């Protein structure tokens, strides 16, 4: 008899023992109907508290990469290095964030999700305090990069927790609030750090993020449940107990093997293009806005981040609600059948209209110096709104496309996303210096449009492979749709 192949289950916090035949194999390549329609049975108040806890933890981890964007010169002066060295170190933090899944997903597999969550909080707190007390650029960069490995884990764990406790009919709204807290923090934290940098030392920034993480860790200890405690969520309770199974848990193929599916690969690349757009905007503000409008203090440029930040939050919440309505509409027309690709249809207007409009308006209004400060501010709001509205469906899709592998799928998404984000942080300013602000953001807009084409392909072409399922009438005008 052929030997059975086993794979660690990235969701359950367990690794199958040797010689055990499991069903934890890759699902069919075609999109398929769902197996996660039943959310865990929890009181509404507890769901709300858990949502608030996972949203809170996005605030300190966002501080990690965006809070120093307005105080780069001050940090560089402290360590007597060029300001570009801080930007390069920040790009290194995002690269570390991209590799987060390769470290924390196996740890989750070995010790369980809740325990891994609390350990990651402790590591983040210690690294934050270390950065605040660093006396050399080397130690500062090392601890900063190490803290970067924990950030995306809180996003992955947060999304998987929400997918366990919220019904699919309202899951998009919950994920919208979660992502809204994440991305709004990416603009609020530069403003807070700019105020800190103006009136006191930049080191306080890392102390603040450490204190916020401590609060989040205490809340997580009391409210984040073990997955085995959730009703209607089937888990395998065995843990890895020998060196061979532990090594298997650290096999990166647990993540990369999912890239064989076109839907996951194209969705992850699209998230990467969106991250490039996002970090190109955030990383370039002080470089282009301060000289243009003669702003001299960190606080002045920090206030500019409010416009995209409000757009981020509004886009996440609005798009989350609309994506849920889209899912419900398709589900009614399919007589109760739900497909992951249906949600992506709600993202298409944001990809092809709102996001490129905001990106091009922002780039060329700054390049041509037209519209005063009002036009770039308005354009950055539109860009931020379109960006997060486009992101919303993709983030929920990552958790739904193969529910039994959602942690690995979400981890792979963030791996790709942060790699592109690192390119945005490290490459935005050199690209602007080389070709100008207008053309740099034109390139950014074109990359987002390419991502939109990929989403269109997933939503309209890959879904057709789903067991020859009929499409509803509104899918294409003039089609017969489902029989009446």
């Amino acid at each position: 008899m052929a030997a059975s192949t086993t794979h660690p289950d990235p969701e359950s916090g367990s690794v199958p023992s040797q010689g055990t035949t499991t069903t934890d194999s890759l699902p069919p390549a075609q999109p398929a109907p769902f197996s996660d329609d039943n959310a865990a049975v929890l009181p509404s108040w507890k769901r709300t508290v858990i949502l608030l806890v996972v949203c809170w933890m996005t605030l300190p981890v966002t501080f990690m990469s965006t809070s120093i964007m307005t105080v780069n010169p001050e940090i560089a002066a402290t360590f007597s290095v060029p300001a570009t060295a801080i930007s390069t170190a920040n790009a290194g933090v995002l690269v570390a964030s991209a590799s987060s899944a390769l470290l924390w997903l196996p740890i989750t597999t070995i010790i369980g999700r809740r325990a891994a969550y609390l350990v990651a909080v402790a590591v983040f707190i210690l690294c934050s305090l270390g950065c605040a007390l660093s006396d050399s650029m080397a130690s500062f960069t090392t601890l900063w990069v190490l803290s970067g490995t924990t950030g995306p884990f809180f996003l992955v764990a947060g999304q998987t927790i929400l997918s366990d406790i919220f019904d699919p009919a309202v899951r998009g709204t919950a994920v919208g609030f979660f992502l809204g807290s994440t991305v709004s923090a990416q603009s609020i934290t530069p403003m807070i750090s700019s105020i800190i940098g103006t009136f006191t030392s930049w080191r306080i920034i890392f102390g603040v993020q450490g204190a916020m993480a401590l609060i989040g860790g205490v809340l997580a200890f009391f409210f984040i449940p073990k997955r085995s405690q959730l009703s209607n969520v089937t888990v395998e309770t065995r843990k890895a107990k020998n060196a061979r199974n532990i090594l298997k848990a650290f096999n990166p193929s647990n993540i990369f093997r999912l890239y064989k599916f076109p839907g996951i690969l194209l969705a992850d690349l699209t998230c990467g293009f969106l991250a490039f757009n996002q970090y190109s905007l955030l990383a370039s503000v002080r470089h282009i806005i301060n000289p243009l409008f003669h702003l001299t203090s960190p606080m002045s440029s920090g206030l500019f981040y409010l416009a995209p930040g409000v757009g981020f939050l509004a886009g996440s919440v609005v798009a989350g609600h609309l994506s849920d309505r889209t899912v419900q509409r398709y589900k009614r027309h399919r007589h109760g059948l739900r497909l992951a690709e249906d949600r992506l249809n709600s993202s298409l207007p944001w990809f092809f209209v709102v996001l490129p409009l905001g990106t091009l308006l922002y780039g060329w209004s700054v390049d041509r110096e037209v519209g005063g400060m009002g036009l770039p501010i308005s354009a950055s709001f539109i860009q931020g709104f379109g960006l997060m509205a486009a992101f919303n469906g993709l983030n929920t899709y990552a958790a739904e496309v193969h529910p039994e592998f959602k942690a690995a799928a979400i981890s792979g998404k963030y791996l790709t996303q942060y790699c592109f984000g690192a390119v945005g942080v490290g490459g935005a300013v050199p690209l602007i210096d080389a070709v100008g602000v207008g053309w740099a953001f034109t390139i950014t807009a074109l990359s987002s449009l390419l991502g939109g084409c990929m989403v269109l392909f997933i939503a309209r072409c890959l879904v057709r492979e789903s067991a020859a399922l009929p499409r509803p009438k509104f899918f294409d005008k003039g089609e017969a749709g489902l029989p009446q």
Side-chain angles (χ1 to χ4, degrees):
M1 182 180 295
S4 301
T5 58
T6 63
H7 302 285
D9 182 357
E11 283 300 298
S12 65
S14 64
V15 177
S17 56
Q18 287 178 282
T20 302
T21 302
T22 78
T23 58
D24 186 17
S25 57
L26 286 177
Q30 293 81 15
F34 279 87
S35 60
D36 70 337
D37 280 354
N38 294 322
V41 178
L42 290 174
S44 296
W45 71 266
K46 193 166 187 178
R47 283 197 182 98
T48 303
V49 170
I50 294 173
L51 174 60
L52 292 176
V53 172
V54 297
C55 286
W56 174 265
M57 277 307 301
T58 65
L59 302 180
V61 301
T62 304
F63 256 80
M64 172 187 63
S65 60
T66 59
S67 62
I68 59 85
M69 288 180 176
T70 57
V71 292
N72 273 11
E74 288 74 17
I75 299 176
T78 299
F79 295 120
S80 301
V81 297
T84 53
I86 306 300
S87 298
T88 302
N90 200 0
V93 172
L94 291 178
V95 171
S97 298
S99 63
S100 172
L102 304 179
L103 173 64
W104 288 101
L105 187 61
I107 291 176
T108 301
T109 303
I110 295 167
I111 67 176
R113 184 172 65 194
R114 182 177 184 274
Y117 199 94
L118 296 175
V119 170
V121 171
V123 171
F124 185 84
I125 293 171
L126 293 174
C127 289
S128 298
L129 296 178
C131 287
L133 300 174
S134 294
D135 58 0
S136 69
M137 183 64 184
S139 61
F140 172 77
T141 301
T142 300
L143 291 169
W144 194 18
V145 170
L146 181 60
S147 69
T149 64
T150 65
F153 171 70
F154 295 113
L155 306 182
V156 174
Q159 278 189 248
T160 56
I161 290 168
L162 296 181
S163 68
D164 284 343
I165 67 174
F166 282 96
D167 186 86
V170 295
R171 186 177 295 158
T173 302
V175 172
F177 277 106
F178 176 69
L179 295 176
S181 64
T182 303
V183 298
S184 60
Q186 289 175 336
S187 58
I188 294 172
T189 55
M191 183 191 67
I192 296 174
S193 66
S194 68
I195 296 173
I196 294 173
T198 299
F199 296 105
T200 184
S201 170
W202 60 265
R203 296 180 185 275
I204 303 298
I205 295 170
F206 289 93
V208 169
Q209 76 179 33
M212 294 172 68
L214 178 61
I215 294 172
V218 172
L219 293 173
F221 179 82
F222 287 106
F223 293 107
I224 296 295
K226 294 181 180 179
R227 198 159 189 261
S228 58
Q229 296 172 334
L230 300 177
S231 303
N232 296 343
V233 177
T234 304
V235 298
E236 173 65 60
T237 59
R238 288 173 294 171
K239 305 279 197 309
K241 294 183 179 179
N242 58 59
R244 182 172 182 179
N245 283 343
I246 290 175
L247 289 175
K248 284 182 179 180
F250 281 92
N251 184 350
S253 68
N254 296 326
I255 295 173
F256 293 123
R257 65 193 177 125
L258 295 179
Y259 287 154
K260 70 181 289 184
F261 300 129
I264 289 180
L265 177 60
L266 294 178
D268 287 0
L269 288 174
T270 301
C271 288
F273 288 132
L274 292 177
F276 176 74
N277 185 309
Q278 177 184 2
Y279 280 97
S280 295
L281 170 64
L282 296 176
S284 62
V285 166
R286 188 162 185 181
H287 182 72
I288 60 178
I289 295 298
N290 280 30
L292 178 61
F293 297 109
H294 309 292
L295 307 178
T296 56
S297 69
M299 187 168 63
S300 301
S301 57
L303 291 172
F304 187 87
Y305 284 92
L306 282 177
V310 173
F312 289 160
L313 180 59
S316 295
V317 175
V318 171
H321 177 67
L322 291 178
S323 73
D324 283 339
R325 292 185 61 181
T326 301
V327 169
Q328 293 163 16
R329 184 172 58 162
Y330 273 81
K331 189 174 179 178
R332 285 196 302 270
H333 280 269
R334 291 203 178 99
H335 298 295
L337 181 63
R338 183 173 61 91
L339 299 176
E341 293 78 11
D342 292 344
R343 189 179 298 275
L344 297 180
N345 287 285
S346 66
S347 300
L348 298 177
W350 315 119
F351 270 108
F352 290 107
V353 180
V354 180
L355 179 56
L357 173 65
T359 304
L360 292 173
L361 270 178
Y362 176 75
W364 287 105
S365 65
V366 173
D367 187 273
R368 301 302 181 187
E369 301 184 15
V370 297
M373 188 176 283
L375 185 54
I377 289 175
S378 301
S380 65
F381 170 83
I382 296 171
Q383 183 179 355
F385 187 101
L387 187 64
M388 288 307 118
F391 249 131
N392 183 274
L394 287 165
N395 279 284
T396 311
Y397 173 79
E400 292 181 339
V401 61
H402 291 303
E404 66 273 40
F405 294 103
K406 58 189 167 191
I410 295 171
S411 297
K413 180 190 80 72
Y414 281 113
L415 188 154
T416 306
Q417 186 173 315
Y418 276 97
C419 282
F420 278 75
V423 174
V425 168
V429 172
L431 180 62
I432 289 170
D433 290 340
V435 301
V437 180
W439 286 111
F441 279 90
T442 298
I443 293 171
T444 302
L446 289 175
S447 69
S448 301
L449 284 172
L450 177 58
C453 293
M454 293 180 181
V455 171
L456 179 64
F457 179 78
I458 297 170
R460 299 296 174 89
C461 297
L462 291 185
V463 73
R464 296 177 186 175
E465 301 175 9
S466 300
L469 293 169
R471 294 180 293 165
K473 290 179 180 179
F474 57 82
F475 203 96
D476 279 327
K477 285 188 176 181
E479 283 206 349
L482 288 173
Q484 298 299 317

